[in-house]
């Protein structure tokens, strides 16, 4: 049994998983000790400026300091800190890397989109086993990027990371509250362009099932289920018809921010970007329905994703 600490620092949130890894009996299993999420919006303005904003760095490093205390308190033996889209895109990422190193004593890794995709697939497939003959598309819908990962029970067969995400598209296009039809059309065009690029590397039409991971997908699922409060247990593994996901996504996109903020399952840090998350997830699933000639009729939500993949990679 090994106790590990995994940190996933994305464009919108920074998350910590302290877990015990049991590698006995020929398989690897995670048992959660601590699982936390903070919305720090590290990617604030990166799409426009190409740099991490000082206030975003301050928020993120403050959360990292809190995580360092938890890691010490719970006695994790190994630590891996992974940073994704916003950090990849920022010219001044060295400031961020130095700050994390000083707080945690480990070198933070600014990973490639391909590695991000592989870790997301590993995390999702660790708790949603893939059946023989299935080709599963895992979609990791983040704040700055989205990963399309096609795989089988044997592992990843193709992956591509593209620069569309709920923070990026909100800042780039969805400026009104609620957004205008023209803003929605411009954002959807970005999603279509990104999927066309992804198809050059990932044969999306071969997918027989779709699994969505990360906060936008799970929040949309909570909205479709009309949960009385956010519940990871209620959300994880939920399979919904595409029309139900489309309706929930459209509802969130067309709501005002005040109305979204009043929803009992809405994290305050997602209020301003969940509309774009809904737009991206809705359009991806529309396209997957078309590309599969109507064979893809539903999608699964997973609460386990890149964070679990990072933890498993340490053990």
């Amino acid at each position: 049994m090994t106790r590990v600490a995994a940190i996933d620092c994305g464009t919108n949130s920074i998350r910590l998983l302290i877990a015990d890894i049991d590698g006995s009996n020929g398989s690897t299993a995670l048992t959660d000790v601590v699982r936390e999420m903070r919305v720090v919006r590290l990617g604030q303005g990166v799409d426009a400026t190409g740099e991490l904003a000082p206030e975003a760095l301050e928020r993120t490093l403050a959360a990292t300091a809190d995580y360092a205390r938890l890691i010490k308190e719970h006695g994790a033996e190994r630590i891996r800190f992974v940073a994704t889209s916003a950090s990849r895109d920022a010219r001044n990422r060295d400031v961020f890397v130095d700050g994390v190193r000083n707080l945690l004593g480990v070198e933070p890794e600014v990973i490639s989109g391909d590695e991000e995709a592989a870790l997301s697939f590993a995390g999702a497939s660790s708790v949603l086993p893939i059946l023989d003959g299935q080709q599963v598309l895992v979609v990791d819908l983040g704040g700055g990027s989205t990963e399309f990962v096609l795989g089988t029970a044997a592992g990843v067969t193709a992956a591509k990371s593209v620069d569309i995400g709920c923070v990026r598209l909100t800042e780039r296009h969805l400026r009104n509250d609620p957004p205008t039809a023209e803003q929605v059309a411009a954002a959807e065009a970005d999603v279509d362009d990104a999927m066309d690029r992804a198809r050059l590397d990932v044969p999306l039409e071969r997918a027989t099932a779709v699994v969505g991971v990360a906060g936008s997908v799970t929040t949309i699922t909570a909205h479709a289920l009309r949960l009385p409060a956010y519940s990871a247990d209620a959300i994880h593994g939920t399979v919904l018809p595409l029309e139900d996901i489309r309706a929930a996504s459209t509802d969130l996109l067309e709501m005002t921010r005040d109305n979204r903020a009043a929803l009992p399952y809405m994290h305050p840090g997602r209020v301003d970007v969940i509309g774009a998350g809904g737009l991206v997830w809705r359009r991806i699933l529309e396209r997957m329905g078309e590309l599969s000639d109507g064979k893809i009729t539903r999608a699964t939500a997973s609460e386990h994703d890149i964070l679990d993949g990072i933890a498993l990679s340490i053990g």
Side-chain angles (χ1 to χ4, degrees), residues 1-311:
M1 190 82 73
T2 305
R3 181 159 292 185
V4 301
I7 298 176
D8 165 39
C9 186
T11 299
N12 196 43
S13 64
I14 183 169
R15 299 181 300 153
L16 168 70
L17 172 60
I18 300 173
D20 290 327
I21 297 183
D22 184 357
S24 62
N25 301 320
S27 62
T28 304
L30 286 177
T31 301
D32 287 13
V33 177
V34 173
R35 192 181 283 261
E36 285 209 5
M37 187 269 286
R38 310 272 182 91
V39 173
V40 292
R41 195 66 56 84
L42 178 62
Q44 172 192 331
V46 167
D47 188 60
T49 68
E51 292 192 347
L52 299 169
E55 60 271 29
L57 281 166
E58 183 178 351
R59 292 191 298 266
T60 306
L61 293 176
T64 303
D66 290 342
Y67 287 174
R69 287 189 286 273
L70 283 169
I71 291 167
K72 183 177 180 180
E73 176 186 337
H74 289 280
E77 302 165 49
R78 300 177 192 168
I79 306 169
R80 187 177 184 193
F81 186 109
V82 164
T84 54
S85 178
S87 306
R88 283 197 297 268
D89 296 345
R91 288 188 296 268
N92 62 338
R93 67 184 186 185
D94 287 349
V95 178
F96 169 64
V97 168
D98 291 345
V100 172
R101 187 193 303 115
N102 291 336
L103 289 167
L104 286 175
V106 298
E107 192 71 17
E109 302 169 54
V110 181
I111 63 172
S112 69
D114 286 347
E115 185 170 3
E116 182 177 0
L119 289 169
S120 295
F121 188 88
S125 61
S126 70
V127 290
L128 291 173
I130 298 171
L131 303 177
D132 288 341
Q134 270 192 319
Q135 294 207 58
V136 175
L137 179 71
V138 172
V139 180
D140 184 348
L141 200 175
S145 66
T146 293
E147 284 65 50
F148 294 89
V149 200
L150 188 67
T152 65
V156 174
T157 56
K160 181 67 174 178
S161 178
V162 292
D163 283 342
I164 53 168
C166 60
V167 174
R168 194 183 295 271
L169 291 190
T170 298
E171 292 183 350
R172 188 183 291 175
H173 296 299
L174 307 186
R175 299 187 178 93
N176 285 42
D177 179 29
T180 66
E182 292 77 15
Q183 290 168 353
V184 169
E188 286 184 335
D190 279 6
V191 178
D192 283 337
D193 288 345
M195 288 192 73
D196 290 341
R197 292 196 305 275
R199 287 187 70 198
L200 298 175
D201 297 289
V202 182
L204 300 177
E205 64 280 358
R206 295 184 190 172
T208 58
V210 177
V211 176
V213 303
S216 285
V217 170
T218 58
T219 302
I220 292 163
T221 304
H223 188 58
L225 296 173
R226 296 301 194 270
L227 296 179
Y230 192 92
S231 168
D233 289 341
I235 293 165
H236 179 66
T238 292
V239 181
L240 291 173
L242 297 193
E243 55 266 30
D244 290 3
I245 298 171
R246 175 182 171 80
S249 298
T250 300
D251 197 31
L252 289 168
L253 175 62
E254 294 178 350
M255 278 185 179
T256 64
R257 288 173 186 160
D258 286 346
N259 286 340
R260 293 198 295 258
L263 297 172
Y265 35 79
M266 184 65 62
H267 189 287
R270 296 202 189 283
V271 169
D272 61 331
V273 296
I274 191 60
L279 180 150
V280 174
W281 191 219
R282 179 182 75 179
R283 188 58 187 147
I284 287 172
L285 292 177
E286 285 173 348
R287 289 286 302 274
M288 288 306 300
E290 296 164 4
L291 291 169
S292 68
D293 291 327
K295 295 185 181 69
I296 298 291
T297 60
R298 57 187 190 166
T300 304
S302 174
E303 282 280 350
H304 297 268
D305 51 27
I306 186 174
L307 188 60
D308 302 72
I310 295 167

